[in-house]
Amino acid sequence: MFVPPADLRSGSARRVLAALLSSWPCTRPELARRTGLSAMTVGKAADHLLAAGYLVEAPGDPTTAQGRPGRLLSPSSRPCFVAVELGVQRTWLYRLGLAGEAAGVERVVVPMQDGPEAFRRAVEASREVLGDDAAEAVLVSVPGVLDAEQPAIVFSPNLHWSEGSELLRSLGRTFAAPVCAVQEAQALALGHLTAGQAPAHFLMVDLGDGVGSSIVAGGRLFGGPLPLSGEIGHTPIAGNERRCGCGALGCIETLAGRAGLLRTAAAHLPGVADWAALTAALAGRPLPAWLLPTIDALAMVLAGALNLLGLRDVVAVGPVADLHPEVVPELGRRLAAHALLGRFGRVECRHAPDRRQLGLLRAAIDRVLVAEPRRDD
């Protein structure tokens, strides 16, 4: 682990390394422009990161540089992490470097229906595929309510057997590395921020197996005193009689989550039994009328969040957002109709790609590679 000798240098190293995640290679002067740091500060931070093996350097293009060619910096492609994307139906494990996931590298897929012991055995067996190379950390994307400090899964409405600290601890034991766990909607928001061009304030909405969200204010994740935020999927909808995995009746994710949409679709599209079939059935066709009440219900829940938080921007990610080209635009129109801001201002609803990996890497920089020293109150 890289530990700079001073907090100021540590902060500069974090900014330089994070700035390189979105686009590389680039020169030190370009990094100074991206980060707002001085050329001298960037140079010192880059030297430390090169010595630690987190950056690599190559000569610049002599045909485009004036004078001596600059040297280009890139994140190291060394697969120094094990990434784990926990899911309700299946979990993916793979090797990951600061430059991303290497092309053609095999992933391990673990079914989640068989419980903790089968999961533990499958993770142990994954080492044959992932290799025994030392890992700096195990980066884990976690659905549900996460206490990242412990780390422990406090409550997982759709995967109750994963609750507690044992699953995360077992991952650390298997790969002999510290665990850096990130709530999945927060990982998506961190990835969107790190990619650049994100608004400073927005609500990230994860439309997948469940419906989750995370709040970004001033370019930073917002969190309260409890390890609980953004759980808008468990907002009840009047007239919805579906039982949710959390134990309540009528949660919006029983309508707008993947399983809920499949259940609704089955009443209108006989023979559509899985997500691939539903996607194929909607391809090239107008947005079906049976989907509109669900989009409207989701818009009302999100409008309440915008009214409370004073936000205008919503960023939608996930398989439900990808289901049809008109899902997100229709959600935006209905958001504008339901949110107070829509009466006198502008509400924005954008679609974004899944940048979970980038969010995990950003968390690894901040909490593992160039971690800010912890201070007791």
Side-chain angles (χ1 to χ4, degrees):
M1 184 186 300
F2 167 59
V3 182
D7 289 359
L8 183 60
R9 186 176 297 169
S10 176
S12 299
R14 280 195 299 275
R15 289 171 67 178
V16 167
L17 196 49
L20 268 170
L21 289 183
S22 61
S23 176
W24 72 84
C26 70
T27 61
R28 287 169 173 80
E30 171 61 23
L31 278 174
R33 287 191 290 272
R34 289 188 194 180
T35 60
L37 298 171
S38 70
M40 180 179 294
T41 299
V42 167
K44 289 181 178 179
D47 289 343
H48 284 287
L49 293 168
L50 284 163
Y54 300 143
L55 295 184
V56 294
E57 193 176 44
D61 184 352
T63 65
T64 58
Q66 294 182 353
R68 188 175 64 179
R71 299 189 69 84
L72 299 174
L73 296 172
S74 298
S76 170
S77 59
R78 178 171 59 92
C80 55
F81 304 109
V82 173
V84 182
E85 296 183 13
L86 287 175
V88 175
Q89 300 299 323
R90 59 189 64 84
T91 284
W92 291 266
L93 295 92
Y94 52 93
R95 285 280 182 173
L96 185 63
L98 286 167
E101 188 178 2
V105 174
E106 188 173 353
R107 286 187 170 202
V108 175
V109 182
V110 179
M112 299 300 280
Q113 297 91 337
D114 298 330
E117 185 57 29
F119 178 81
R120 185 193 64 78
R121 290 196 302 268
V123 170
E124 289 282 353
S126 75
R127 295 187 63 174
E128 296 183 11
V129 177
L130 301 179
D132 291 325
D133 293 345
E136 296 268 6
V138 183
L139 311 181
V140 190
S141 167
V142 179
V145 181
L146 172 72
D147 183 344
E149 292 294 322
Q150 293 295 322
I153 300 171
V154 178
F155 187 65
S156 185
N158 300 309
L159 201 66
H160 285 293
W161 65 258
S162 70
E163 292 168 356
S165 60
E166 180 54 30
L167 183 149
L168 298 175
R169 287 180 179 175
S170 70
L171 289 168
R173 289 194 300 268
T174 299
F175 297 104
V179 172
C180 177
V182 188
Q183 203 281 334
E184 62 180 1
Q186 294 190 354
L188 292 167
L190 275 176
H192 192 61
L193 279 170
T194 304
Q197 300 181 341
H201 316 276
F202 64 92
L203 181 70
M204 170 66 72
V205 183
D206 179 17
L207 300 173
D209 290 320
V211 176
S213 71
S214 54
I215 305 154
V216 172
R220 300 175 65 89
L221 287 173
F222 170 83
L226 300 177
L228 175 68
S229 66
E231 293 293 336
I232 59 170
H234 301 285
T235 304
I237 298 299
N240 178 18
E241 297 298 321
R242 295 180 180 180
R243 178 70 61 180
C244 181
C246 74
L249 200 67
C251 293
I252 182 61
E253 76 171 37
T254 66
L255 296 173
R258 188 152 44 180
L261 274 181
L262 277 173
R263 181 175 170 182
T264 303
H268 300 274
L269 301 170
V272 171
D274 58 33
W275 195 253
L278 177 57
T279 302
L282 298 185
R285 299 183 180 181
L287 193 67
W290 57 262
L291 194 50
L292 297 180
T294 294
I295 294 175
D296 194 61
L298 177 61
M300 284 191 280
V301 170
L302 295 178
L306 297 187
N307 288 348
L308 177 66
L309 298 169
L311 297 176
R312 76 164 72 248
D313 288 282
V314 173
V315 179
V317 179
V320 175
D322 300 336
L323 179 62
H324 188 282
E326 279 299 309
V327 165
V328 174
E330 184 64 27
L331 178 62
R333 287 188 285 271
R334 291 176 184 254
L335 256 175
H338 293 310
L340 180 61
L341 180 60
R343 313 286 192 276
F344 59 89
R346 175 176 51 85
V347 176
E348 293 285 348
C349 186
R350 302 179 179 89
H351 178 271
D354 185 320
R355 296 190 174 102
R356 188 185 318 252
Q357 275 189 12
L358 198 56
L360 289 174
L361 289 174
R362 178 61 182 269
I365 291 171
D366 293 343
R367 290 160 48 183
V368 180
L369 299 186
V370 198
E372 184 175 357
R374 294 184 63 177
R375 296 177 174 83
D376 295 330
D377 292 334

